[in-house]
Amino acid sequence: MTSGSAGTELDAEDGKLLTLARGAMARAGASSGAAVRDSDGRTYSAGPVELAALQLSALQVAIAMAVASGAEGLEAGLLVGGSGTTGDRADTDPGLAALTEVSSSAYAIVADAGGGNPRRLDQK
């Protein structure tokens, strides 16, 4: 995925993902949060895992939760805050590769830590 245009207007469903991702970030007391929507419309949200034995981005955790719950595909993923959400490095989160692996047609949106400046990333 490559960086897309700034200021993406979120529809209601993507706005819900933003709310869920920001909520997960707040609950975890973390600098990032993520949410994904599966092909059945179910949503999963998560914060990052930062253990000595396991390091996962918030997006990786949300995707793992969806897959572990039996999701057969993903529609969208949204990452708020964290590495890879600003500037020219918007495609560095390792969860983006997992999103594409689960569903090549899924799209990703990244936003800054406050939920502002949402940008949809384009497929490579």
Side-chain angles (χ1 to χ4, degrees), residues 60-111:
Q60 287 176 308
V61 176
I63 292 167
M65 290 170 58
V67 171
S69 295
E72 294 183 17
L74 298 173
E75 274 184 19
L78 189 141
L79 174 64
V80 61
S83 65
T85 60
T86 58
D88 294 332
R89 296 175 37 95
D91 60 354
T92 61
D93 188 277
L96 296 171
L99 181 69
T100 302
E101 181 179 341
V102 174
S103 293
S104 62
S105 62
Y107 61 91
I109 297 172
V110 295

Side-chain angles (χ1 to χ4, degrees), residues 3-94:
S3 214
S5 59
T8 299
E9 187 71 28
L10 298 180
D11 65 18
E13 291 301 311
D14 291 342
K16 179 180 174 183
L17 290 180
L18 178 61
T19 299
L20 292 169
R22 291 188 70 213
M25 182 173 72
R27 280 189 308 279
S31 62
S32 65
V36 297
R37 182 175 52 250
D38 73 13
S39 55
D40 292 329
R42 293 178 297 219
T43 56
Y44 307 84
S45 61
V49 172
E50 297 175 359
L51 302 172
L54 181 64
Q55 299 282 317
L56 297 171
S57 75
L59 188 55
Q60 287 176 308
V61 176
I63 292 167
M65 290 170 58
V67 171
S69 295
E72 294 183 17
L74 298 173
E75 274 184 19
L78 189 141
L79 174 64
V80 61
S83 65
T85 60
T86 58
D88 294 332
R89 296 175 37 95
D91 60 354
T92 61
D93 188 277

